[in-house]
Amino acid sequence: MAGRTAGLVLLAGAAALASGSQGDREPVYRDCVLQCEERNCSGGALKHFRSRQPIYMSLAGWTCRDDCKYECMWVTVGLYLQEGHKVPQFHGKVSLNAWFWSTVFHTRDTDLTEKMDYFCASTVILHSIYLCCVRTVGLQHPAVASAFRALLLLMLTAHISYLSLIHFDYGYNLAANVAIGLVNVVWWLAWCLRNQQRLPHVRKCMVVVLLLQGLSLLELLDFPPLFWVLDAHAIWHISTIPVHVLFFSFLEDDSLYLLKESEAKFKLD
């Protein structure tokens, strides 16, 4: 019991340390955000920001601080590239939170840890489909992405409310996640197939989507644990680690492509 408790304490500490990604901890980024907020997020400057802010961004809860963080993220990315460094990750909390609660749940199975594991897993799936919407539609039509985000938040709220307040239905939870996952797979694959000739790096995304779909069979086709230790669920968790590394590689390549495209348009203007 003491060892298990110590393990949970260490996990909590690790989560706290990792709550900010490398980019978030970069002094240049922090200073940029601080100066931007001082310059733009109070008094007359804040009124000016709100007056020119599109209505869809205001409804989506986009604040002056959010705008500063977004602009400073790209400033920091540009500096990293100039110095020949790899692009850092920013705001990487959603997947980490899901893995953290999954670890806690598999360490100590209680009603609370089970719900946190399930709810965070659903959040990751919805976040993935939101990311897909932003990449495929939102860059050209931000209002569509904002409306879709609001819809996903409503769906997540309804999903969690039903499972928490009405009935914790395992069958429904599985069906809902599989359904959203299938939409996610079809959407990503359709975009990848349409752009694979123009953007070779999207093939990484195709591989990730197909691998995750194949590995999901481990969650549906259960079997007795190997050596009475590794069951289908455990093998699924282990197998998804390298897949996420490949997906991050795709995101890095795609971000660099978008950054170069943005710089090219800026020079033309």
Side-chain angles (χ1 to χ4, degrees):
M1 178 64 73
R4 186 173 292 178
T5 303
L8 290 176
V9 172
L10 288 174
L11 281 171
L17 289 173
S19 61
S21 302
Q22 177 186 349
D24 304 1
R25 297 191 298 269
E26 178 62 47
V28 173
Y29 170 78
R30 290 177 174 271
D31 290 343
C32 176
V33 172
L34 181 62
Q35 293 176 18
C36 178
E37 286 185 300
E38 291 176 348
R39 186 171 59 251
N40 301 314
C41 299
S42 61
L46 179 59
K47 292 181 180 179
H48 177 68
F49 168 80
R50 290 173 175 169
S51 67
R52 64 183 178 84
Q53 184 181 34
I55 184 64
Y56 62 84
M57 295 186 73
S58 177
L59 292 174
W62 187 265
T63 66
C64 181
R65 175 174 171 77
D66 293 327
D67 204 62
C68 285
K69 290 165 70 175
Y70 177 78
E71 295 297 334
C72 290
M73 176 185 71
W74 287 111
V75 169
T76 307
V77 166
L79 292 173
Y80 264 74
L81 291 175
Q82 287 178 13
E83 297 296 326
H85 300 302
K86 290 184 177 180
V87 177
Q89 182 191 33
F90 289 85
H91 318 309
K93 300 181 180 66
V94 175
S95 292
L96 177 64
N97 192 46
W99 281 347
F100 168 72
W101 279 110
S102 178
T103 303
V104 172
F105 168 58
H106 287 82
T107 302
R108 182 70 175 92
D109 184 352
T110 67
D111 184 61
L112 173 62
T113 59
E114 180 182 46
K115 283 184 169 62
M116 291 303 297
D117 178 37
Y118 279 53
F119 297 162
C120 289
S122 298
T123 302
V124 168
I125 295 173
L126 290 173
H127 185 267
S128 178
I129 200 170
Y130 172 66
L131 177 62
C132 181
C133 176
V134 170
R135 181 59 184 92
T136 60
V137 180
L139 296 179
Q140 294 77 32
H141 307 284
V144 175
S146 295
F148 189 65
R149 179 174 67 173
L151 174 63
L152 292 178
L153 287 173
L154 286 174
M155 291 174 60
L156 179 63
T157 301
H159 180 70
I160 292 176
S161 298
Y162 173 76
L163 292 175
S164 300
L165 304 176
I166 300 176
H167 176 52
F168 197 84
D169 188 332
Y170 293 94
Y172 155 74
N173 182 72
L174 178 62
N177 285 328
V178 169
I180 295 297
L182 287 175
V183 173
N184 195 27
V185 166
V186 172
W187 196 341
W188 271 119
L189 281 181
W191 178 78
C192 289
L193 289 171
R194 205 172 86 180
N195 292 277
Q196 62 175 331
Q197 298 299 326
R198 185 172 63 91
L199 306 173
H201 64 269
V202 303
R203 291 169 187 165
K204 293 182 180 179
C205 182
M206 291 178 63
V207 172
V208 168
V209 170
L210 293 174
L211 282 175
L212 286 177
Q213 190 66 11
L215 290 171
S216 65
L217 294 176
L218 290 169
E219 291 286 80
L220 303 176
L221 306 175
D222 207 354
F223 52 82
L226 300 176
F227 310 110
W228 302 111
V229 175
L230 297 175
D231 63 3
H233 189 65
I235 296 174
W236 175 79
H237 273 293
I238 296 171
S239 302
T240 57
I241 295 174
V243 177
H244 283 87
V245 173
L246 181 60
F247 188 59
F248 181 77
S249 177
F250 156 71
L251 293 177
E252 186 177 33
D253 291 344
D254 200 49
S255 297
L256 290 173
Y257 162 75
L258 291 173
L259 183 61
K260 291 178 181 178
E261 185 182 57
S262 178
E263 290 177 345
K265 289 181 181 179
F266 180 78
K267 289 179 180 178
L268 288 175
D269 295 339

